[in-house]
Amino acid sequence: MSSLIWYLYEFARKSWAESFAVARTNPEIVETPDRFRDFPEVFPEHCISCGACTAACPAPNAIRLVRSEDTAEEEGKAYPVINHRGCIRCGFCAEVCPTVPKTITCGENHLIREEFTILPTDRMFVIDDYLCIRCKKCLKACPVPGAIYEEDNKIIIDQSLCIGCEECLNNCPVKGAVKGIFISHIQEQKEIINLVVNTLEESIERKRDDITHLSDEEVYKFDLSITELVERARSILANDELILDTFQKITDRLKLRIVTWDEDKCKKCRLCVDECPSGAITYDEKENVIKRDTKKCLRCSTCYQTCPFGVAGYFVSRFLLDPTSLEDGVIHITVKASQLPIGAD
């Protein structure tokens, strides 16, 4: 009796009546979800009787080959027949069908886009946010919806969707803004990068007497032939395409900070020794001289801003490979005095 009263009380509640009035079945139960494929449709005239569809089908008795009767004009042909009671609409039969046009179709293939199943290169493409001007030409040129998108005012390539077609690279108006990164020989690429950067730095160091007295407005220019660099790079990696690509990336992106050191101006005040954050500057008591270790130097400009006598000079260099060729390429180098504060890039 008490249970009956409880049920009557429960049914009399307004909230129950409202829920009952709008109750409906989950749409995924009564409607076909978008992710489902259609039942396979068979075109017997295209079949070559290879049996790939029956071998790939994971559902027992969902697909079988039958053979039409012979006629006076031609022999009977085998072709697949779909049992809708057993078919689970996975679409494997359509995927493996080798005929063109296909003998079996099942609507849109949600797992594999047929035209994008082969990755043609061993490069991955990325956007260099430092050089990108947000023109979105790469986004418009990309043939894969969603592979390139904009987020937080940045253009981003979704590596899981990118098919490596290079359309973004070919349509980008800014040299170096889209980069094709070789995903092989990573260690060798690092060695070549270090080789080029160290060589550039040494070449600028040899010009120290010419750049030390540059005014704030002056730009010092000189060229470096890459002939010797190419030969040394080839001893690291026998792949000219990858070497040229690495050279281009360095010269497109590199902005090298340079610290010069004029010992003749030093008064041994040791302010730079105390302020240097990396310990690159030390005082040698025996020789009574301030020494700078270039391998430890962070090029932070602290010594430049600390020294009252102008011992340290602080400059910024940029580079351009022209033409982009290993045979006759030259790296154009420009050097100018830096006006940047500590920590700025």
Side-chain angles (χ1 to χ4, degrees):
M1 187 62 181
S2 61
S3 298
L4 179 60
I5 294 173
W6 185 87
Y7 276 115
L8 291 173
Y9 172 77
E10 187 68 18
F11 292 154
R13 293 175 59 186
K14 182 181 178 183
S15 59
W16 183 90
E18 290 176 347
S19 300
F20 180 79
V22 298
R24 56 178 301 185
T25 306
N26 188 329
E28 285 215 347
I29 298 176
V30 295
E31 301 171 4
T32 302
D34 292 339
R35 64 178 181 275
F36 274 34
R37 295 171 172 172
D38 300 330
F39 279 113
E41 185 176 1
V42 178
F43 300 89
E45 64 274 21
H46 302 317
C47 185
I48 58 175
S49 309
C50 65
C53 52
T54 57
C57 179
N61 303 318
I63 184 170
R64 63 190 176 92
L65 285 180
V66 300
R67 188 174 187 276
S68 60
E69 294 183 358
D70 297 341
T71 64
E73 290 77 20
E74 61 180 1
E75 292 184 349
K77 293 182 61 177
Y79 59 90
V81 173
I82 308 297
N83 176 8
H84 287 193
R85 293 185 176 181
C87 179
I88 58 175
R89 293 186 286 182
C90 64
F92 286 173
C93 54
E95 287 182 16
V96 300
C97 179
T99 64
V100 180
K102 284 184 176 293
T103 302
I104 302 177
T105 62
C106 58
E108 184 181 0
N109 185 336
H110 294 280
L111 299 178
I112 303 174
R113 290 183 181 275
E114 186 178 335
E115 64 271 35
F116 300 145
T117 54
I118 299 175
L119 294 177
T121 70
D122 61 348
R123 289 194 294 174
M124 62 179 287
F125 293 85
V126 297
I127 304 293
D128 189 331
D129 191 55
Y130 179 79
L131 299 174
C132 178
I133 60 174
R134 278 68 164 171
C135 66
K136 302 181 184 179
K137 289 187 177 179
C138 57
L139 195 154
K140 296 172 184 174
C142 180
V144 184
I148 303 180
Y149 60 96
E150 185 178 17
E151 183 176 285
D152 297 333
N153 197 33
K154 291 184 178 180
I155 306 298
I156 299 172
I157 297 178
D158 185 340
Q159 301 300 332
S160 65
L161 296 177
C162 178
I163 59 172
C165 64
E166 302 187 18
E167 286 299 316
C168 54
L169 181 65
N170 296 333
N171 285 275
C172 179
V174 181
K175 182 183 178 185
V178 178
K179 289 181 168 58
I181 300 175
F182 283 88
I183 55 179
S184 59
H185 306 292
I186 298 298
Q187 186 58 41
E188 289 84 352
Q189 291 183 67
K190 289 181 179 178
E191 292 182 30
I192 294 174
I193 290 172
N194 286 330
L195 168 67
V196 176
V197 172
N198 290 336
T199 301
L200 290 171
E201 188 173 13
E202 291 167 2
S203 68
I204 295 173
E205 179 64 26
R206 288 195 293 270
K207 304 288 185 180
R208 189 184 68 174
D209 292 341
D210 296 327
I211 65 176
T212 298
H213 305 292
L214 285 178
S215 68
D216 293 345
E217 305 299 326
E218 289 181 291
V219 177
Y220 183 77
K221 302 177 182 178
F222 67 100
D223 294 338
L224 176 69
S225 171
I226 63 171
T227 303
E228 183 180 346
L229 270 176
V230 171
E231 293 305 315
R232 294 173 65 183
R234 282 172 174 163
S235 68
I236 298 173
L237 177 64
N239 185 327
D240 279 3
E241 181 186 8
L242 211 162
I243 291 174
L244 179 60
D245 185 79
T246 307
F247 275 40
Q248 277 189 277
K249 287 189 178 69
I250 295 172
T251 51
D252 288 342
R253 185 69 170 83
L254 183 64
K255 182 172 71 174
L256 198 62
R257 289 178 289 186
I258 304 295
V259 174
T260 58
W261 199 257
D262 189 346
E263 296 177 355
D264 296 337
K265 295 181 178 178
C266 185
K267 306 298 182 184
K268 316 297 189 301
C269 68
R270 307 181 200 178
L271 288 174
C272 57
V273 177
D274 297 335
E275 295 296 330
C276 179
S278 65
I281 304 176
T282 57
Y283 174 63
D284 189 324
E285 291 186 0
K286 292 183 179 179
E287 300 181 13
N288 187 30
V289 65
I290 304 294
K291 293 184 177 180
R292 172 175 170 264
D293 188 340
T294 56
K295 294 181 180 179
K296 291 183 179 180
C297 180
L298 302 176
R299 302 177 183 84
C300 64
S301 82
T302 301
C303 56
Y304 166 70
Q305 300 194 49
T306 301
C307 180
F309 307 107
V311 175
Y314 190 51
F315 303 88
V316 174
S317 294
R318 290 186 180 278
F319 311 90
L320 176 66
L321 177 63
D322 180 39
T324 53
S325 164
L326 294 184
E327 304 307 323
D328 53 359
V330 172
I331 298 179
H332 302 304
I333 303 174
T334 61
V335 185
K336 64 177 294 185
S338 173
Q339 302 298 320
L340 301 179
I342 295 175
D345 192 359

